[in-house]
Short mmCIF file of all heavy atoms in Angstrom, two decimals:
data_model
loop_
_atom_site.label_atom_id
_atom_site.label_comp_id
_atom_site.label_asym_id
_atom_site.label_seq_id
_atom_site.Cartn_x
_atom_site.Cartn_y
_atom_site.Cartn_z
N THR U 122 -0.60 -2.52 4.39
CA THR U 122 0.24 -1.45 3.86
C THR U 122 -0.67 -0.28 3.51
O THR U 122 -1.90 -0.40 3.57
CB THR U 122 1.00 -1.88 2.59
OG1 THR U 122 0.04 -2.09 1.54
CG2 THR U 122 1.80 -3.15 2.83
N THR U 123 -0.09 0.84 3.11
CA THR U 123 -0.91 1.98 2.71
C THR U 123 -1.78 1.64 1.50
O THR U 123 -2.86 2.21 1.33
CB THR U 123 -0.04 3.19 2.37
OG1 THR U 123 0.86 2.84 1.31
CG2 THR U 123 0.75 3.65 3.58
N HIS U 124 -1.36 0.71 0.70
CA HIS U 124 -2.11 0.36 -0.51
C HIS U 124 -3.42 -0.35 -0.20
O HIS U 124 -4.34 -0.36 -1.02
CB HIS U 124 -1.23 -0.50 -1.44
CG HIS U 124 -1.69 -0.47 -2.84
ND1 HIS U 124 -1.60 0.66 -3.62
CD2 HIS U 124 -2.24 -1.43 -3.62
CE1 HIS U 124 -2.09 0.39 -4.82
NE2 HIS U 124 -2.48 -0.87 -4.85
N ILE U 125 -3.56 -0.90 1.00
CA ILE U 125 -4.78 -1.61 1.35
C ILE U 125 -6.00 -0.68 1.34
O ILE U 125 -7.10 -1.09 0.98
CB ILE U 125 -4.65 -2.35 2.70
CG1 ILE U 125 -5.74 -3.42 2.79
CG2 ILE U 125 -4.71 -1.41 3.87
CD1 ILE U 125 -5.44 -4.51 3.78
N TYR U 126 -5.80 0.58 1.70
CA TYR U 126 -6.91 1.53 1.70
C TYR U 126 -7.41 1.77 0.27
O TYR U 126 -8.61 1.83 0.02
CB TYR U 126 -6.50 2.86 2.33
CG TYR U 126 -6.00 2.71 3.74
CD1 TYR U 126 -4.67 2.96 4.06
CD2 TYR U 126 -6.85 2.31 4.76
CE1 TYR U 126 -4.21 2.82 5.35
CE2 TYR U 126 -6.40 2.17 6.06
CZ TYR U 126 -5.07 2.42 6.35
OH TYR U 126 -4.61 2.28 7.63
N ARG U 127 -6.48 1.90 -0.65
CA ARG U 127 -6.81 2.12 -2.07
C ARG U 127 -7.55 0.90 -2.64
O ARG U 127 -8.57 1.04 -3.31
CB ARG U 127 -5.51 2.40 -2.82
CG ARG U 127 -5.67 2.82 -4.23
CD ARG U 127 -4.33 3.39 -4.72
NE ARG U 127 -4.27 3.48 -6.15
CZ ARG U 127 -4.81 4.47 -6.86
NH1 ARG U 127 -5.46 5.44 -6.25
NH2 ARG U 127 -4.71 4.49 -8.17
N ARG U 128 -7.02 -0.27 -2.37
CA ARG U 128 -7.67 -1.50 -2.85
C ARG U 128 -9.06 -1.66 -2.25
O ARG U 128 -10.00 -2.06 -2.93
CB ARG U 128 -6.81 -2.71 -2.52
CG ARG U 128 -5.60 -2.88 -3.41
CD ARG U 128 -4.98 -4.27 -3.25
NE ARG U 128 -4.75 -4.64 -1.87
CZ ARG U 128 -3.57 -4.65 -1.27
NH1 ARG U 128 -2.49 -4.32 -1.94
NH2 ARG U 128 -3.46 -5.01 -0.02
N THR U 129 -9.18 -1.36 -0.96
CA THR U 129 -10.47 -1.51 -0.29
C THR U 129 -11.51 -0.56 -0.88
O THR U 129 -12.63 -0.97 -1.20
CB THR U 129 -10.32 -1.27 1.23
OG1 THR U 129 -9.39 -2.23 1.75
CG2 THR U 129 -11.65 -1.39 1.94
N ALA U 130 -11.15 0.72 -1.04
CA ALA U 130 -12.09 1.68 -1.62
C ALA U 130 -12.50 1.24 -3.02
O ALA U 130 -13.68 1.27 -3.37
CB ALA U 130 -11.48 3.08 -1.65
N ALA U 131 -11.53 0.83 -3.83
CA ALA U 131 -11.84 0.40 -5.19
C ALA U 131 -12.75 -0.83 -5.20
O ALA U 131 -13.69 -0.91 -6.00
CB ALA U 131 -10.55 0.10 -5.95
N THR U 132 -12.50 -1.76 -4.32
CA THR U 132 -13.33 -2.97 -4.25
C THR U 132 -14.75 -2.63 -3.84
O THR U 132 -15.72 -3.13 -4.43
CB THR U 132 -12.71 -3.98 -3.27
OG1 THR U 132 -11.40 -4.33 -3.73
CG2 THR U 132 -13.56 -5.24 -3.16
N LEU U 133 -14.91 -1.75 -2.85
CA LEU U 133 -16.25 -1.36 -2.41
C LEU U 133 -17.02 -0.66 -3.52
O LEU U 133 -18.20 -0.94 -3.75
CB LEU U 133 -16.15 -0.46 -1.17
CG LEU U 133 -15.64 -1.11 0.11
CD1 LEU U 133 -15.37 -0.06 1.17
CD2 LEU U 133 -16.61 -2.18 0.60
N ILE U 134 -16.35 0.25 -4.24
CA ILE U 134 -17.01 0.95 -5.34
C ILE U 134 -17.32 0.00 -6.47
O ILE U 134 -18.42 0.02 -7.04
CB ILE U 134 -16.14 2.13 -5.84
CG1 ILE U 134 -15.98 3.19 -4.74
CG2 ILE U 134 -16.72 2.74 -7.12
CD1 ILE U 134 -17.27 3.82 -4.27
N GLU U 135 -16.40 -0.88 -6.81
CA GLU U 135 -16.64 -1.84 -7.90
C GLU U 135 -17.83 -2.73 -7.59
O GLU U 135 -18.68 -2.97 -8.44
CB GLU U 135 -15.37 -2.68 -8.14
CG GLU U 135 -15.43 -3.56 -9.38
CD GLU U 135 -16.16 -4.87 -9.17
OE1 GLU U 135 -16.14 -5.39 -8.03
OE2 GLU U 135 -16.75 -5.37 -10.14
N ARG U 136 -17.90 -3.18 -6.37
CA ARG U 136 -19.02 -4.06 -5.99
C ARG U 136 -20.36 -3.34 -6.02
O ARG U 136 -21.37 -3.93 -6.36
CB ARG U 136 -18.77 -4.66 -4.61
CG ARG U 136 -17.69 -5.70 -4.61
CD ARG U 136 -17.46 -6.28 -3.24
NE ARG U 136 -16.38 -7.25 -3.28
CZ ARG U 136 -15.75 -7.70 -2.22
NH1 ARG U 136 -16.10 -7.27 -1.01
NH2 ARG U 136 -14.78 -8.58 -2.33
N ALA U 137 -20.36 -2.07 -5.64
CA ALA U 137 -21.61 -1.33 -5.58
C ALA U 137 -22.01 -0.70 -6.91
O ALA U 137 -23.20 -0.58 -7.20
CB ALA U 137 -21.51 -0.24 -4.51
N ALA U 138 -21.02 -0.29 -7.73
CA ALA U 138 -21.37 0.48 -8.94
C ALA U 138 -20.60 0.08 -10.19
O ALA U 138 -20.78 0.71 -11.23
CB ALA U 138 -21.16 1.97 -8.65
N GLY U 139 -19.72 -0.90 -10.10
CA GLY U 139 -19.04 -1.39 -11.29
C GLY U 139 -17.61 -0.93 -11.44
O GLY U 139 -17.15 0.00 -10.78
N ILE U 140 -16.92 -1.61 -12.34
CA ILE U 140 -15.49 -1.39 -12.56
C ILE U 140 -15.19 -0.02 -13.15
O ILE U 140 -14.17 0.57 -12.87
CB ILE U 140 -14.89 -2.53 -13.42
CG1 ILE U 140 -13.35 -2.49 -13.40
CG2 ILE U 140 -15.41 -2.46 -14.84
CD1 ILE U 140 -12.75 -2.91 -12.11
N THR U 141 -16.09 0.51 -13.98
CA THR U 141 -15.84 1.81 -14.62
C THR U 141 -15.70 2.91 -13.58
O THR U 141 -14.74 3.69 -13.61
CB THR U 141 -16.96 2.16 -15.61
OG1 THR U 141 -17.00 1.12 -16.61
CG2 THR U 141 -16.71 3.49 -16.27
N LEU U 142 -16.62 2.97 -12.64
CA LEU U 142 -16.55 4.00 -11.60
C LEU U 142 -15.35 3.78 -10.69
O LEU U 142 -14.67 4.74 -10.31
CB LEU U 142 -17.85 4.02 -10.79
CG LEU U 142 -18.04 5.23 -9.88
CD1 LEU U 142 -17.93 6.54 -10.64
CD2 LEU U 142 -19.37 5.13 -9.18
N ALA U 143 -15.05 2.55 -10.35
CA ALA U 143 -13.87 2.26 -9.51
C ALA U 143 -12.61 2.70 -10.22
O ALA U 143 -11.72 3.30 -9.61
CB ALA U 143 -13.82 0.77 -9.18
N SER U 144 -12.52 2.43 -11.51
CA SER U 144 -11.35 2.82 -12.29
C SER U 144 -11.18 4.33 -12.32
O SER U 144 -10.08 4.86 -12.17
CB SER U 144 -11.48 2.26 -13.71
OG SER U 144 -10.36 2.59 -14.48
N ARG U 145 -12.28 5.05 -12.48
CA ARG U 145 -12.22 6.52 -12.49
C ARG U 145 -11.83 7.08 -11.13
O ARG U 145 -11.05 8.03 -11.04
CB ARG U 145 -13.56 7.10 -12.94
CG ARG U 145 -13.80 6.80 -14.43
CD ARG U 145 -14.98 7.50 -14.96
NE ARG U 145 -14.77 8.94 -14.94
CZ ARG U 145 -15.75 9.83 -15.07
NH1 ARG U 145 -16.98 9.42 -15.21
NH2 ARG U 145 -15.48 11.11 -15.04
N LEU U 146 -12.35 6.49 -10.06
CA LEU U 146 -12.00 6.94 -8.72
C LEU U 146 -10.50 6.79 -8.47
O LEU U 146 -9.86 7.66 -7.89
CB LEU U 146 -12.79 6.17 -7.66
CG LEU U 146 -12.50 6.53 -6.20
CD1 LEU U 146 -12.85 7.98 -5.91
CD2 LEU U 146 -13.24 5.60 -5.26
N LEU U 147 -9.93 5.67 -8.92
CA LEU U 147 -8.51 5.43 -8.73
C LEU U 147 -7.64 6.28 -9.65
O LEU U 147 -6.46 6.45 -9.40
CB LEU U 147 -8.18 3.96 -8.98
CG LEU U 147 -8.76 2.96 -7.98
CD1 LEU U 147 -8.36 1.55 -8.38
CD2 LEU U 147 -8.31 3.26 -6.57
N GLY U 148 -8.24 6.79 -10.70
CA GLY U 148 -7.47 7.57 -11.66
C GLY U 148 -6.80 6.71 -12.70
O GLY U 148 -5.84 7.13 -13.33
N HIS U 149 -7.30 5.51 -12.90
CA HIS U 149 -6.70 4.61 -13.88
C HIS U 149 -7.15 4.97 -15.30
O HIS U 149 -8.29 5.36 -15.52
CB HIS U 149 -7.08 3.16 -13.58
CG HIS U 149 -6.39 2.61 -12.39
ND1 HIS U 149 -6.82 1.50 -11.73
CD2 HIS U 149 -5.28 3.01 -11.73
CE1 HIS U 149 -6.02 1.25 -10.71
NE2 HIS U 149 -5.08 2.15 -10.69
N ALA U 150 -6.25 4.79 -16.25
CA ALA U 150 -6.53 5.08 -17.64
C ALA U 150 -7.43 4.02 -18.27
O ALA U 150 -8.11 4.28 -19.25
CB ALA U 150 -5.23 5.20 -18.43
N SER U 151 -7.40 2.83 -17.73
CA SER U 151 -8.23 1.77 -18.28
C SER U 151 -8.77 0.90 -17.15
O SER U 151 -8.16 0.79 -16.07
CB SER U 151 -7.45 0.90 -19.26
OG SER U 151 -6.59 0.02 -18.56
N GLU U 152 -9.89 0.29 -17.43
CA GLU U 152 -10.48 -0.61 -16.45
C GLU U 152 -9.61 -1.84 -16.22
O GLU U 152 -9.60 -2.41 -15.14
CB GLU U 152 -11.88 -1.02 -16.90
CG GLU U 152 -12.84 0.13 -16.92
CD GLU U 152 -14.17 -0.20 -17.57
OE1 GLU U 152 -14.43 -1.38 -17.87
OE2 GLU U 152 -14.96 0.74 -17.76
N GLN U 153 -8.86 -2.21 -17.24
CA GLN U 153 -7.99 -3.38 -17.12
C GLN U 153 -6.92 -3.16 -16.04
O GLN U 153 -6.61 -4.09 -15.29
CB GLN U 153 -7.32 -3.70 -18.47
CG GLN U 153 -6.68 -5.07 -18.50
CD GLN U 153 -7.70 -6.18 -18.27
OE1 GLN U 153 -8.82 -6.13 -18.75
NE2 GLN U 153 -7.31 -7.19 -17.50
N ILE U 154 -6.40 -1.95 -15.95
CA ILE U 154 -5.41 -1.65 -14.90
C ILE U 154 -6.06 -1.85 -13.53
O ILE U 154 -5.46 -2.43 -12.63
CB ILE U 154 -4.86 -0.22 -15.06
CG1 ILE U 154 -4.04 -0.12 -16.35
CG2 ILE U 154 -4.01 0.17 -13.85
CD1 ILE U 154 -3.65 1.30 -16.71
N THR U 155 -7.28 -1.37 -13.39
CA THR U 155 -7.99 -1.53 -12.13
C THR U 155 -8.20 -3.00 -11.82
O THR U 155 -7.97 -3.45 -10.71
CB THR U 155 -9.34 -0.79 -12.17
OG1 THR U 155 -9.09 0.57 -12.51
CG2 THR U 155 -10.05 -0.87 -10.82
N ARG U 156 -8.62 -3.75 -12.84
CA ARG U 156 -8.84 -5.18 -12.63
C ARG U 156 -7.54 -5.88 -12.25
O ARG U 156 -7.53 -6.76 -11.40
CB ARG U 156 -9.36 -5.82 -13.92
CG ARG U 156 -10.83 -5.75 -14.08
CD ARG U 156 -11.29 -6.63 -15.24
NE ARG U 156 -12.64 -6.26 -15.60
CZ ARG U 156 -12.96 -5.38 -16.53
NH1 ARG U 156 -12.02 -4.79 -17.24
NH2 ARG U 156 -14.22 -5.09 -16.77
N ASN U 157 -6.45 -5.54 -12.91
CA ASN U 157 -5.18 -6.26 -12.70
C ASN U 157 -4.47 -5.90 -11.41
O ASN U 157 -3.91 -6.78 -10.76
CB ASN U 157 -4.24 -6.02 -13.87
CG ASN U 157 -4.72 -6.69 -15.13
OD1 ASN U 157 -5.57 -7.56 -15.09
ND2 ASN U 157 -4.18 -6.26 -16.26
N SER U 158 -4.44 -4.66 -11.05
CA SER U 158 -3.66 -4.29 -9.86
C SER U 158 -4.24 -3.15 -9.09
O SER U 158 -3.87 -2.90 -7.98
CB SER U 158 -2.23 -3.94 -10.24
OG SER U 158 -2.21 -2.90 -11.17
N TYR U 159 -5.07 -2.71 -9.49
CA TYR U 159 -5.75 -1.60 -8.87
C TYR U 159 -4.98 -0.42 -9.19
O TYR U 159 -4.29 0.00 -9.58
CB TYR U 159 -5.85 -1.65 -7.43
CG TYR U 159 -7.08 -2.44 -7.12
CD1 TYR U 159 -7.23 -3.69 -7.60
CD2 TYR U 159 -8.06 -1.83 -6.39
CE1 TYR U 159 -8.34 -4.37 -7.31
CE2 TYR U 159 -9.16 -2.53 -6.10
CZ TYR U 159 -9.29 -3.80 -6.57
OH TYR U 159 -10.39 -4.46 -6.30
N VAL U 160 -4.55 4.46 -14.35
CA VAL U 160 -4.02 5.56 -13.73
C VAL U 160 -4.90 6.51 -14.38
O VAL U 160 -5.52 6.17 -14.80
CB VAL U 160 -2.70 5.06 -13.65
CG1 VAL U 160 -2.38 5.35 -12.31
CG2 VAL U 160 -2.27 3.65 -13.83
N VAL U 161 -5.88 8.97 -15.19
CA VAL U 161 -7.33 9.11 -15.28
C VAL U 161 -7.60 9.67 -16.67
O VAL U 161 -6.87 10.55 -17.13
CB VAL U 161 -7.86 10.12 -14.28
CG1 VAL U 161 -9.25 10.59 -14.64
CG2 VAL U 161 -7.87 9.60 -12.88
N THR U 162 -8.61 9.25 -17.24
CA THR U 162 -8.99 9.81 -18.52
C THR U 162 -9.92 10.99 -18.34
O THR U 162 -9.90 11.90 -19.14
CB THR U 162 -9.66 8.73 -19.40
OG1 THR U 162 -10.74 8.17 -18.68
CG2 THR U 162 -8.69 7.64 -19.75
N ALA U 163 -10.73 11.01 -17.29
CA ALA U 163 -11.63 12.13 -17.00
C ALA U 163 -11.25 12.73 -15.66
O ALA U 163 -10.83 12.03 -14.75
CB ALA U 163 -13.07 11.64 -16.95
N GLU U 164 -11.38 14.05 -15.55
CA GLU U 164 -10.98 14.71 -14.31
C GLU U 164 -12.01 14.63 -13.20
O GLU U 164 -11.67 14.51 -12.05
CB GLU U 164 -10.64 16.18 -14.57
CG GLU U 164 -9.29 16.37 -15.19
CD GLU U 164 -8.83 17.80 -15.09
OE1 GLU U 164 -9.44 18.59 -14.37
OE2 GLU U 164 -7.84 18.11 -15.74
N LEU U 165 -13.29 14.72 -13.52
CA LEU U 165 -14.30 14.73 -12.48
C LEU U 165 -14.83 13.33 -12.23
O LEU U 165 -15.38 12.70 -13.12
CB LEU U 165 -15.47 15.65 -12.86
CG LEU U 165 -16.58 15.75 -11.82
CD1 LEU U 165 -16.03 16.34 -10.51
CD2 LEU U 165 -17.70 16.60 -12.33
N VAL U 166 -14.62 12.87 -11.02
CA VAL U 166 -15.13 11.56 -10.63
C VAL U 166 -16.57 11.77 -10.15
O VAL U 166 -16.86 12.70 -9.41
CB VAL U 166 -14.27 10.95 -9.51
CG1 VAL U 166 -14.86 9.64 -9.03
CG2 VAL U 166 -12.84 10.76 -9.99
N ASP U 167 -17.47 10.90 -10.55
CA ASP U 167 -18.87 11.00 -10.19
C ASP U 167 -19.02 11.11 -8.67
O ASP U 167 -18.51 10.25 -7.94
CB ASP U 167 -19.59 9.76 -10.71
CG ASP U 167 -21.10 9.88 -10.61
OD1 ASP U 167 -21.61 10.61 -9.73
OD2 ASP U 167 -21.76 9.21 -11.40
N PRO U 168 -19.69 12.16 -8.18
CA PRO U 168 -19.87 12.33 -6.74
C PRO U 168 -20.61 11.18 -6.06
O PRO U 168 -20.59 11.07 -4.85
CB PRO U 168 -20.68 13.62 -6.63
CG PRO U 168 -20.41 14.35 -7.89
CD PRO U 168 -20.21 13.29 -8.94
N VAL U 169 -21.22 10.30 -6.83
CA VAL U 169 -21.89 9.15 -6.23
C VAL U 169 -20.90 8.28 -5.44
O VAL U 169 -21.30 7.55 -4.54
CB VAL U 169 -22.66 8.32 -7.29
CG1 VAL U 169 -21.72 7.51 -8.15
CG2 VAL U 169 -23.70 7.43 -6.63
N THR U 170 -19.60 8.39 -5.75
CA THR U 170 -18.61 7.62 -4.99
C THR U 170 -18.68 7.97 -3.51
O THR U 170 -18.55 7.09 -2.67
CB THR U 170 -17.17 7.85 -5.51
OG1 THR U 170 -16.85 9.23 -5.44
CG2 THR U 170 -17.02 7.34 -6.95
N ALA U 171 -18.89 9.23 -3.18
CA ALA U 171 -18.99 9.65 -1.77
C ALA U 171 -20.22 9.03 -1.12
O ALA U 171 -20.16 8.55 0.02
CB ALA U 171 -19.05 11.17 -1.66
N GLU U 172 -21.34 9.01 -1.84
CA GLU U 172 -22.57 8.44 -1.29
C GLU U 172 -22.40 6.93 -1.06
O GLU U 172 -22.83 6.40 -0.03
CB GLU U 172 -23.73 8.67 -2.24
CG GLU U 172 -24.08 10.13 -2.39
CD GLU U 172 -25.09 10.40 -3.51
OE1 GLU U 172 -25.82 9.45 -3.89
OE2 GLU U 172 -25.13 11.53 -3.98
N ILE U 173 -21.75 6.25 -2.00
CA ILE U 173 -21.54 4.81 -1.87
C ILE U 173 -20.67 4.50 -0.67
O ILE U 173 -21.00 3.64 0.15
CB ILE U 173 -20.93 4.21 -3.16
CG1 ILE U 173 -21.93 4.30 -4.31
CG2 ILE U 173 -20.45 2.79 -2.94
CD1 ILE U 173 -21.33 4.05 -5.68
N LEU U 174 -19.55 5.23 -0.53
CA LEU U 174 -18.66 4.99 0.61
C LEU U 174 -19.33 5.36 1.93
O LEU U 174 -19.14 4.68 2.94
CB LEU U 174 -17.34 5.71 0.42
CG LEU U 174 -16.44 5.11 -0.65
CD1 LEU U 174 -15.23 6.00 -0.90
CD2 LEU U 174 -16.00 3.70 -0.28
N ASP U 175 -20.13 6.43 1.93
CA ASP U 175 -20.89 6.77 3.15
C ASP U 175 -21.80 5.62 3.55
O ASP U 175 -21.85 5.24 4.73
CB ASP U 175 -21.75 8.02 2.92
CG ASP U 175 -21.00 9.30 3.20
OD1 ASP U 175 -19.99 9.29 3.92
OD2 ASP U 175 -21.47 10.34 2.71
N GLU U 176 -22.51 5.07 2.60
CA GLU U 176 -23.46 3.99 2.90
C GLU U 176 -22.74 2.74 3.39
O GLU U 176 -23.14 2.13 4.36
CB GLU U 176 -24.27 3.67 1.65
CG GLU U 176 -25.35 2.65 1.90
CD GLU U 176 -26.21 2.44 0.67
OE1 GLU U 176 -26.53 3.40 -0.02
OE2 GLU U 176 -26.54 1.27 0.42
#
Side-chain angles (χ1 to χ4, degrees):
T122 67
T123 59
H124 201 68
I125 198 159
Y126 302 113
R127 188 166 164 81
R128 284 193 310 255
T129 300
T132 300
L133 292 170
I134 296 299
E135 189 277 330
R136 288 180 182 164
I140 193 71
T141 300
L142 192 55
S144 182
R145 291 189 65 196
L146 179 63
L147 293 179
H149 287 162
S151 77
E152 294 171 8
Q153 194 61 39
I154 293 170
T155 305
R156 274 191 195 93
N157 290 344
S158 57
Y159 273 56
V160 227
V161 163
T162 54
E164 282 196 11
L165 181 62
V166 176
D167 190 333
V169 75
T170 59
E172 294 171 22
I173 293 166
L174 288 172
D175 272 340
E176 185 175 320

